[in-house]
Amino acid sequence: MYGKLLMMQRFYLDWNATSPLWPEVKDAIIKALDSVGNASSIHQEGQQARAIVERARRTLARAIDAPAQSVIFTGGATEANNQVLRTHAKYTRKPFIVCTSVEHPSVIEVVEELGKQKRVRTRMIKVDRLGRLDLEDVKQALEDGATLVSVMFANNEIGNVYPVKEVVELVHQYDAICHVDATQAFGRLPLSFRELGADVMTLSVHKMGGPKGVGALIIKEGFIQESMLAGGHQERGRRPGTENVPAIAGLDAVSKLVQEKQPLWREQMERRRQYLLDGLLAKLGGTIELRGDQDARLPNTLNIAFEGVTGEDALLSLDLAGVSASSGSACTAGSIEPSHVVLAMGFDSAEAKRSVRLSVGPGEGVEDLDGAVDVIVSNIRRLM
Ligand SMILES: Cc1ncc(COP(=O)(O)O)c(C=O)c1O
């Protein structure tokens, strides 16, 4: 009996939280664990570590169509987002920071905290019932003197893709700074930093088969990005601290895969998401409510509310039955809080608590999802 329990098949549908390493990425990390040098040391071991870091800088730059010198490695996107916002608040004469009300907590909570300082003005841009932005509201904030606008490329909870290029152009008409958090877009959508034109973009790689705890700031030529930390000259003084060479080697490997495979991955994720959705619709039909903008969205994300079922009950029973999903929101003291994203879309707390996020990764086939559909359908029917 225990043998059977242990062998229960698991279906991992939480790629927006994080993802499994690709074998090539894992191999690159393992190999780099043998690198003994500090990338700042001048001896051979140091130079070997430096070579890994500089190669990764070039590979990531190619994957996102950016100049290599614009890439600054960080310990992930949370850190990078904090750096952009906190340094802007600190070094700008009259800072007025604007973000959307659906940003990741690593933006929204920092903006809320900065807003408590008397010298920093802040504003959150509202979204509609589908989580869409009104560019007129962004324009109004700029008219009112916004100095920095932070907008995500794609939303981690509902999967909406935002009109970032239009936002950048608008922000630049007012000589303000535009920050784009591209964490959920990396490897999933075509990403050209040059075309986007943002002053600064942030990302990490663990949502698409890369290692956790490593990310990057991508800085436009001429844009002065101050350091948030002191104590070292690494990353041209913008991010002090000894480089995490194995993680950076993993970032190199995943960036190489992204260059080769992003269009294929996108197609595969789109097909898998659709297959999952069709399977659920066929069996649960009208009891399903899809959330978010279905016309401009990530290829891999479904945000669904099942009639009469709380997200918490759904997630717990799905987990026990082998499906890993998420509500996309924080779990505090053992209970799931309503998502700030779904609340911002105008749903009340009870409605927001029904959101379940299913996010798939790429893969050749779709049949493996049949098992996931069966588990979800039987568990949701039982809970209804
Ligand atoms: C849109 C977005 N920004 C930032 C982050 C934070 O990234 P990291 O886990 O690398 O700190 C995430 C991850 O959840 C995200 O989805």
Side-chain angles (χ1 to χ4, degrees), residues 16-17 75-79 81 104 106 152 154 156 181 183-184 204 206-207 214:
N16 286 12
T78 298
E79 181 195 311
N81 288 342
H104 186 264
S106 59
M152 62 198 337
N156 44 307
D181 174 357
T183 305
Q184 292 288 344
S204 59
H206 70 93
K207 316 285 185 185
V214 64

Side-chain angles (χ1 to χ4, degrees), residues 275-353:
Y275 190 80
L276 188 59
L277 177 59
D278 289 345
L280 295 176
L281 282 172
K283 294 184 179 144
L284 296 170
T287 60
I288 288 181
E289 178 200 335
L290 267 186
R291 291 179 170 171
D293 182 1
Q294 302 307 306
D295 295 328
R297 54 165 180 76
L298 283 169
N300 76 322
T301 310
L302 279 171
N303 193 303
I304 297 183
F306 299 102
E307 203 173 278
V309 181
T310 68
E312 186 165 5
D313 288 345
L315 295 182
L316 292 175
S317 77
L318 290 182
D319 184 33
L320 285 174
V323 171
S324 307
S326 162
S327 65
S329 47
C331 184
T332 341
S335 76
I336 292 171
E337 295 294 314
S339 143
H340 75 278
V341 173
V342 184
L343 288 177
M345 287 155 67
F347 292 85
D348 67 26
S349 172
E351 289 172 320
K353 281 186 174 178

